[in-house]
Amino acid sequence: MIKGVAYLGLGGALTNKKEKELMITRVVWTCVFALALSACVGPVPNVSESFKLDDASEQGVMVGSVKYKGAVSGYKVYFRGLDNETTGYLEAGKGLMLLPIPPRGDFSTIKGELYATELPAGEYEAWQWDVHSGAARTASTRPFSIKFNVRPGEITYIGSFIFTVTKQLGLTVTGVSVDYEERFAEDIAILRRDYPNLVGEQIYLGLERGLVKTDLGGSGSTRWTMMPVMVPAGM
């Protein structure tokens, strides 16, 4: 029968009752804090397959992609409005998987997701990335700013963020390099496939043709979340 909870990873198992209670309290508040952050910034939804542009709309459609080379993890790029309060992120992969089944992506030659989402017209910037891989979270350490404009009633292509895994501990990703590239032909082919009502619509190119920016945000810094491990009483 399993009765106890030992927290491993910092100093071994906790045997003192007060130490256990203190650690449980810390873990609970860490979870509450993480939930509060996730409530403030969330993934942006894609438009429906039947979506049509509205010339009279005050919103536009942002199209971009997140791709990765390496182990399955949750690869995120965060953006924010510079003249409005909109925030969100684009994500490819999964940070935690209950079953070891890689998520199905949009591309045949690389793992990743295409995003086509409505946003209020205005100026935005992509400014941060992170990778959630099991108990590890790796975040960008150098500031960067990829600016783009969303035009009312139009489609804006903002480019592709490509993560390449550079460090791993087992299946856990602890280091990446991130490139930002113009992959218009590759990405728009998926847009045309998945959103038939947008076929034939003009798309505003929000970055230079052939643009490549490497090492976006540095190699990152990794933090570990202490995981509770159930152990039989008396051990």
Side-chain angles (χ1 to χ4, degrees):
M1 180 178 180
I2 297 176
K3 295 182 179 180
V5 180
Y7 288 85
L8 305 180
L10 293 177
L14 299 175
T15 57
N16 182 278
K17 183 178 179 180
K18 290 185 178 180
E19 289 180 348
K20 289 181 181 180
E21 291 175 350
L22 179 60
M23 183 57 66
I24 291 172
T25 301
R26 288 175 176 172
V27 171
V28 169
W29 278 109
T30 298
C31 293
V32 169
F33 183 66
L35 288 173
L37 286 178
S38 63
C40 295
V41 179
V44 293
N46 282 320
V47 298
S48 68
E49 293 182 2
S50 59
F51 177 82
K52 294 182 180 180
L53 281 177
D54 180 0
D55 294 338
S57 175
E58 295 183 357
Q59 299 196 104
V61 176
M62 175 193 72
V63 174
S65 62
V66 179
K67 302 163 185 170
Y68 61 98
K69 303 173 183 178
V72 177
S73 292
Y75 300 88
K76 298 178 182 178
V77 176
Y78 295 83
F79 68 89
R80 58 191 175 190
L82 297 178
D83 54 7
N84 61 65
E85 297 182 354
T86 303
T87 60
Y89 62 78
L90 314 179
E91 180 180 20
K94 293 292 182 182
L96 289 171
M97 292 189 297
L98 297 178
L99 297 175
I101 301 175
R104 182 180 178 182
D106 288 324
F107 303 90
S108 60
T109 58
I110 190 171
K111 292 172 282 189
E113 302 290 337
L114 180 81
Y115 279 84
T117 186
E118 271 195 300
L119 292 175
E123 187 177 4
Y124 294 83
E125 70 170 353
W127 64 285
Q128 188 178 29
W129 57 257
D130 72 26
V131 182
H132 184 194
S133 186
R137 189 178 291 273
T138 302
S140 54
T141 53
R142 289 209 309 256
F144 66 89
S145 177
I146 301 295
K147 292 184 172 67
F148 59 92
N149 285 296
V150 174
R151 300 182 175 189
E154 296 184 8
I155 303 172
T156 300
Y157 173 67
I158 70 166
S160 185
F161 297 87
I162 305 169
F163 291 74
T164 301
V165 175
T166 58
K167 294 181 183 179
Q168 282 185 238
L169 185 60
L171 295 177
T172 302
V173 174
T174 58
V176 296
S177 63
V178 182
D179 297 336
Y180 172 67
E181 300 183 13
E182 182 265 298
R183 293 283 190 95
F184 184 86
E186 180 178 65
D187 290 345
I188 299 308
I190 303 302
L191 182 75
R192 303 300 195 201
R193 182 195 71 188
D194 293 347
Y195 301 96
N197 288 332
L198 297 181
V199 173
E201 295 285 356
Q202 290 188 341
I203 300 173
Y204 170 66
L205 188 63
L207 69 165
E208 298 174 16
R209 282 284 188 187
L211 178 67
V212 175
K213 292 189 176 183
T214 60
D215 198 25
L216 206 67
S219 59
S221 175
T222 301
R223 292 186 177 183
W224 294 83
T225 301
M226 186 176 294
M227 303 296 289
V229 181
M230 307 299 293
V231 297
M235 290 187 63

